[in-house]
Amino acid sequence: MKRNFSWAVLAAVGIFAVVSWVFVSQENEVKVSFDRAREVWRNEEYFEAARLFRELVRKNPRSGLADDALWEVATTYYLNLYDIPSAIEFFQQLTTEYPDSPMAPEAYKYLAEIFDKDLNEPSSAVLNWKAALEYDIPEEEVSEIRLWMGDALFKQGEINEASEQYQLVRSAANGENYVCQALLRIGIVFQVKKQYEESIEVFREVVGNRNCLDSVLQAKLLLIESYEAEDRLNEAISVAESINEGEVPDERRKEILDRLLEKRQYYNLELWNK
């Protein structure tokens, strides 16, 4: 009985060893094929490279490199050949057949970019960004995606939904640049709703934030718009005068100031006549 058991164990070990050897051997062959396709790609033979990667996936769908190969196919079609339908097909194949792949969230992001920028289908873009957010991705990437989602929703006229995404970025405070960009967008949403007082508060927050230096000029220009909409011309002029030389072309700065000063003079004249 013991001898039979021992033989069974040895047989099982032997089978496992053979299977392991076969698997490793196959993976080595796949790696050689993958590297060959990469070399073809580096030689800028993009159609042939895409064909080789597709063939690798077809023959070895269970290989640990299958998802990598699909990624190469999809990005080659999108970035090198600008074949949008094929890029969509293979990005979607990657997310469907290899949902646990490290490239899956990136594939969803590329799909969202394609639908948003190339096909002008913001609703489809939003669906793919939402799918990307289902993965455990860095918080800064989450903020970036939420900004893009908000912009796509804004484009569709879904103002409140867009504002929700911007507010999430603002409250997360992951990366000051994202927070500053979110604040600018929140202020614009208030402008669209004609809630100028609220927009003024937000734009002033950006202007006063030392971490928002790259956004200050845009905030000032938007702040001028909101002050002007509220007929608070003195404050609009003060903001315009605070724009440093070199931040905008001199002609543009002079145009803004001249328009505001002329408007204030006209209002003052009307009040005097009354």
Side-chain angles (χ1 to χ4, degrees), residues 127-256:
L127 290 176
N128 281 284
W129 277 317
K130 286 182 177 178
L133 289 176
E134 293 295 320
Y135 290 82
D136 183 18
I137 57 179
E139 286 300 321
E140 287 201 0
E141 284 189 33
V142 171
S143 294
E144 185 178 46
I145 289 172
R146 291 200 183 282
L147 285 177
W148 291 336
M149 279 180 59
D151 292 346
L153 290 164
F154 188 93
K155 192 188 301 184
Q156 295 177 86
E158 298 178 31
I159 308 299
N160 291 330
E161 292 79 359
S163 184
E164 286 178 11
Q165 296 301 320
Y166 301 147
Q167 292 287 1
L168 285 170
V169 177
R170 180 187 190 180
S171 60
N174 293 309
E176 287 295 338
N177 180 56
Y178 293 126
V179 173
C180 300
Q181 289 298 314
L183 287 168
L184 287 175
R185 288 162 166 80
I186 292 167
I188 291 171
V189 168
F190 281 133
Q191 284 184 327
V192 171
K193 293 180 174 182
K194 300 189 184 304
Q195 296 175 265
Y196 296 111
E197 289 293 341
E198 290 84 349
S199 73
I200 288 169
E201 182 180 341
V202 173
F203 294 140
R204 289 180 65 179
E205 182 178 343
V206 176
V207 171
N209 189 333
R210 289 180 297 177
N211 295 313
C212 291
L213 294 179
D214 292 339
S215 304
V216 167
L217 176 59
Q218 189 178 357
K220 285 183 177 181
L221 294 173
L222 291 166
L223 188 54
I224 290 169
E225 290 180 10
S226 292
Y227 276 137
E228 194 172 1
E230 290 287 287
D231 292 331
R232 294 164 62 175
L233 294 176
N234 288 336
E235 288 159 290
I237 290 168
S238 178
V239 174
E241 290 174 338
S242 75
I243 297 175
N244 298 322
E245 293 182 7
E247 286 187 305
V248 296
D250 292 341
E251 290 183 5
R252 172 64 174 151
R253 184 172 182 272
K254 184 176 183 302
E255 176 190 332
I256 294 171

Side-chain angles (χ1 to χ4, degrees), residues 34 53 57 63-73 94 101-103:
F34 187 91
F53 283 124
V57 176
S63 167
L65 287 171
D67 57 335
D68 295 85
L70 266 180
W71 173 261
E72 296 293 339
V73 175
L94 173 55
S101 167
M103 276 80 74

Side-chain angles (χ1 to χ4, degrees), residues 1-104:
M1 184 72 177
K2 288 183 179 179
R3 182 178 298 176
N4 290 339
F5 178 76
S6 299
W7 278 110
V9 170
L10 288 173
V13 170
I15 292 171
F16 177 77
V18 170
V19 170
S20 298
W21 179 85
V22 170
F23 176 78
V24 170
S25 178
Q26 287 177 339
E27 281 296 283
N28 286 338
E29 290 179 10
V30 172
K31 180 68 166 58
V32 170
S33 298
F34 187 91
D35 290 342
R36 183 165 61 248
R38 284 290 295 170
E39 185 61 31
V40 172
W41 181 89
R42 279 192 288 270
N43 291 332
E44 299 183 3
E45 300 175 46
Y46 300 124
F47 284 106
E48 178 62 10
R51 186 191 70 78
L52 290 172
F53 283 124
R54 290 200 319 270
E55 188 70 5
L56 186 155
V57 176
R58 186 184 69 79
K59 291 181 177 179
N60 307 278
R62 296 184 180 180
S63 167
L65 287 171
D67 57 335
D68 295 85
L70 266 180
W71 173 261
E72 296 293 339
V73 175
T75 54
T76 298
Y77 276 123
Y78 183 43
L79 301 175
N80 302 118
L81 300 173
Y82 201 65
D83 182 343
I84 297 300
S86 294
I88 291 174
E89 176 188 349
F90 289 105
F91 278 130
Q92 289 180 336
Q93 184 180 347
L94 173 55
T95 59
T96 301
E97 296 182 10
Y98 304 94
D100 297 327
S101 167
M103 276 80 74

Side-chain angles (χ1 to χ4, degrees), residues 115-131:
F115 282 115
D116 186 42
K117 296 182 179 178
D118 297 294
L119 300 180
N120 194 27
E121 297 180 21
S123 58
S124 296
V126 168
L127 290 176
N128 281 284
W129 277 317
K130 286 182 177 178

